Amino acid sequence: MNVEKLDDILKDFPAYRKKQVLAYMFKNFVSDFDEMTSLPKDLREILKKNCSLEINSDMYISDDLETYKSLITLSDGKKIEAVLMKHDDKRNTVCVSSQVGCPVGCEFCATGRMGFTRNLTVDEILLQVVLFERLLKKENSRVTNVVFMGMGEPMFNYENVMSAVRLLNSKGFFGIAARHISISTSGIVGGIKRLMEEKLQINLAISFHAPTDEKRSKIMPINKNFGISAIVSALKEYILKTKRRVMIEYILIDHINDFEADAYKLADIVKGDYFFVNLIPYNPTGEFKPSFSERVKKFKEILKGRGITVTQRYRFGRGIKAACGQLAVK
Ligand code: SAH
Ligand code: SF4
């Protein structure tokens, strides 16, 4: 798919043609220019010659048919991952990548260990959603939620991510409610501050993963640049300004961040109605191991005992390497 070329191709055509073509791509999700029947035939031929609607992807489907993971090859040969999670309540969540690789380099993350290659264009972010919209269209269904929790740090590709968010949210295109769009960040303070100025009701999630700077810096080296107190004060400002809740993501890694003392410290940091903690089972990608269920249970009990709202992310897509970066690394 290459939307960037459209301006050039359409320069001799009336302006509304671009809108029509974009609606075919991002609202009707057609995969063939011949389906763009309201365009004149000569324009369709020009588009066919100069543009492509093809999305080059390998699809891996979980045994329970609820998780679809795609490894997409971009026009320069680089690979990214996008995942569709079908929920029982008819929600269809797509997890998108914002970069090829990631410069943040978290120790537990397969993407982080790949290093950073480049930012994705707006087009490349959107094609991940288009891929699954095309698939769901065949089942008379739609993508209902988009989360920026695939490869990459969205705040380091801020402009393109926000342009993609606006198109996803636009009624003339994907039409996905802002409240159904989430951005997850490793805690880039400048990005959190920019986001609070946007007039958009999207959700913010923070990869917290440890309650002290010492521990967090060990698994997330970026913590040396943006430490816990800087992140938390940016979040408090964000909450004050947007009145929106913030998700604190916490992967439980065996004997790394799952001690009772960690739970107590975390509870002190994220108390208050506007925070909630999402405990994520760790998907092993290297040396770390997921926490044992008794430790998870205890961790959760401590947080709840301190009045913290806790949710638990279900482990999606067993058997298809659902953790971000695992396919691309292979
Ligand atoms: N870079 C952003 C968004 C992408 S990562 C961020 O870090 O927030 C999305 C989430 O998946 C993050 O919370 C991240 O810490 C988590 N994650 C990374 N590797 C994982 C793994 N192996 N198992 C479980 N969660 C993982
Ligand atoms: Fe990057 Fe997020 Fe992975 Fe950390 S967890 S390396 S920020 S993708």
Side-chain angles (χ1 to χ4, degrees):
M1 254 179 56
N2 40 13
V3 181
E4 273 99 0
K5 282 192 182 168
L6 275 184
D7 280 329
D8 201 39
I9 295 168
L10 294 172
K11 64 180 187 297
D12 299 327
F13 289 87
Y16 66 89
R17 290 294 182 205
K18 184 178 175 189
K19 245 193 173 152
Q20 276 183 309
V21 176
L22 288 178
Y24 273 122
M25 293 167 108
F26 298 142
K27 189 181 169 78
N28 305 329
F29 311 114
V30 307
S31 46
D32 188 335
F33 288 111
D34 282 329
E35 290 176 66
M36 300 190 176
T37 46
S38 62
L39 300 183
K41 191 137 198 297
D42 62 328
L43 175 53
R44 271 186 269 158
E45 291 307 319
I46 295 172
L47 286 168
K48 265 193 233 173
K49 260 196 211 111
N50 296 287
C51 241
S52 164
L53 291 175
E54 197 187 315
I55 302 171
N56 187 346
S57 107
D58 292 310
M59 195 73 82
Y60 302 80
I61 305 171
S62 65
D63 296 340
D64 58 13
L65 306 180
E66 282 174 359
T67 310
Y68 291 62
K69 180 151 190 169
S70 70
L71 184 63
I72 300 172
T73 306
L74 303 171
S75 52
D76 63 353
K78 300 283 180 276
K79 291 180 195 301
I80 53 164
E81 297 171 20
V83 183
L84 165 70
M85 292 159 282
K86 290 181 169 182
H87 310 278
D88 295 337
D89 56 5
K90 301 251 181 262
R91 275 180 310 130
N92 293 309
T93 301
V94 172
C95 174
V96 295
S97 297
S98 56
Q99 300 182 311
V100 180
C102 181
V104 177
C106 301
E107 294 293 335
F108 49 78
C109 173
T111 307
R113 295 212 318 265
M114 283 168 68
F116 173 64
T117 305
R118 66 172 176 85
N119 278 335
L120 296 185
T121 62
V122 180
D123 208 10
E124 289 169 334
I125 296 171
L126 294 176
L127 70 79
Q128 302 170 61
V129 184
V130 171
L131 174 73
F132 290 116
E133 290 277 24
R134 287 182 188 170
L135 189 139
L136 289 167
K137 193 176 152 184
K138 295 186 189 129
E139 305 167 12
N140 265 326
S141 193
R142 290 289 314 266
V143 172
T144 59
N145 297 61
V146 174
V147 296
F148 285 81
M149 294 187 185
M151 302 167 73
E153 170 49 60
M155 296 303 191
F156 283 159
N157 187 14
Y158 190 90
E159 264 99 29
N160 290 351
V161 165
M162 289 316 291
S163 300
V165 165
R166 282 177 211 285
L167 284 164
L168 290 170
N169 181 226
S170 162
K171 287 218 169 65
F173 297 118
F174 296 82
I176 298 170
R179 285 162 192 272
H180 293 171
I181 300 173
S182 304
I183 293 183
S184 173
T185 173
S186 56
I188 310 305
V189 168
I192 298 169
K193 293 198 174 180
R194 273 179 94 176
L195 190 62
M196 68 178 99
E197 302 301 334
E198 309 278 354
K199 303 253 170 319
L200 269 173
Q201 298 200 304
I202 59 173
N203 306 304
L204 176 64
I206 306 290
S207 292
F208 216 75
H209 306 332
T212 63
D213 282 321
E214 199 196 344
K215 264 195 186 186
R216 197 166 184 269
S217 299
K218 273 194 192 137
I219 53 174
M220 300 180 73
I222 190 94
N223 192 69
K224 291 174 197 134
N225 303 70
F226 306 104
I228 289 176
S229 66
I231 295 173
V232 171
S233 78
L235 292 179
K236 287 186 173 159
E237 212 181 308
Y238 172 94
I239 287 167
L240 213 64
K241 189 133 201 167
T242 62
K243 305 279 183 295
R244 295 198 62 74
R245 302 184 77 195
V246 171
M247 184 199 277
I248 301 294
E249 295 166 284
Y250 200 99
I251 318 175
L252 286 162
I253 310 176
D254 183 44
H255 284 81
I256 297 286
N257 63 358
D258 64 351
F259 292 92
E260 291 183 19
D262 294 330
Y264 286 114
K265 282 186 196 129
L266 181 66
D268 281 342
I269 298 170
V270 300
K271 56 182 179 279
D273 291 342
Y274 279 93
F275 288 114
F276 68 102
V277 174
N278 189 23
L279 296 178
I280 306 170
Y282 180 60
N283 219 321
T285 60
E287 56 181 305
F288 298 116
K289 290 188 174 57
S291 300
F292 291 103
S293 58
E294 311 84 74
R295 290 174 79 87
V296 175
K297 203 169 151 229
K298 186 76 205 169
F299 202 94
K300 192 175 168 184
E301 269 169 18
I302 292 171
L303 290 175
K304 284 195 154 175
R306 293 281 166 121
I308 310 288
T309 306
V310 187
T311 56
Q312 244 169 318
R313 193 199 283 171
Y314 171 74
R315 191 196 294 266
F316 283 107
R318 260 176 202 280
I320 56 161
K321 298 205 176 293
C324 80
Q326 280 187 287
L327 280 179
V329 166
K330 242 181 62 187

